[in-house]
Amino acid sequence: RQLAELFESFDDLTEVHGVEKIKTIGDAYMVAAGIPHPKADHAHAAMGFARDVLRITRDADHGLRLRIGVHTGPVIAGLVGRKRFVYDVWGETVNLASRLESTGFEGRIQISEQMLRALGLAPHHAEPREHEVKGLGRMTTFLID
C-alpha cells in the first residue's frame, strides 16, 4: 500500500514537471523527458522531477530510501507488443541511466557528465565520483542531492 501511494504521488509529479511515465518494474519507477514530443528543457524537467521525488520520499518518512539515476541522450521510443501494447524506451541512454541508478546511493541522484553539461552546471556544483560502470568501464559520474 505504501508503494502504491508513493507511486501515485510520483504520477502527480509527472504532470507538474512534464515528464512521461514509462513504466514501473517492481519498486522501480521510470520516466523520460522530451518524449513523445521534444522538450527544450528536458534536462531541467527530469532533474526537477528527481528532486521532488526525493523530497516527497523524505517527507513521507515511511522508511523507503530511493536511488535515482539520470542521463540525457537519444532514445528509441515506441509501442511494443501485439496483444497488449506497451509504450517503452530503449537504447544506450536508457542503459546508462539504469546503471547510474543501480550504482548510486540511497537518497542521492547520480547523473552523467553529459547530464551535468545539459543542466549547465560546472563539475564543482556536484560531487564527482569515479567508479566502474558495468559494460562501460571506468567513468566519472556526479552525485546531487
Side-chain angles (χ1 to χ4, degrees), residues 64-76:
L64 296 176
R65 301 291 175 251
L66 301 182
R67 293 184 314 251
I68 299 176
V70 184
H71 180 51
T72 184
V75 299
I76 300 168

Side-chain angles (χ1 to χ4, degrees), residues 17 23 27 70:
H17 293 284
K23 60 186 162 187
D27 62 353
V70 184

Side-chain angles (χ1 to χ4, degrees), residues 85-101:
F85 294 105
V86 176
Y87 185 73
D88 203 358
V89 294
W90 56 99
E92 290 303 314
T93 299
V94 177
N95 293 340
L96 180 52
S98 176
R99 299 281 193 270
L100 292 170
E101 180 275 326

Side-chain angles (χ1 to χ4, degrees), residues 10-19:
F10 294 174
D11 289 346
D12 293 341
L13 286 177
T14 65
E15 297 293 323
V16 171
H17 293 284
V19 299

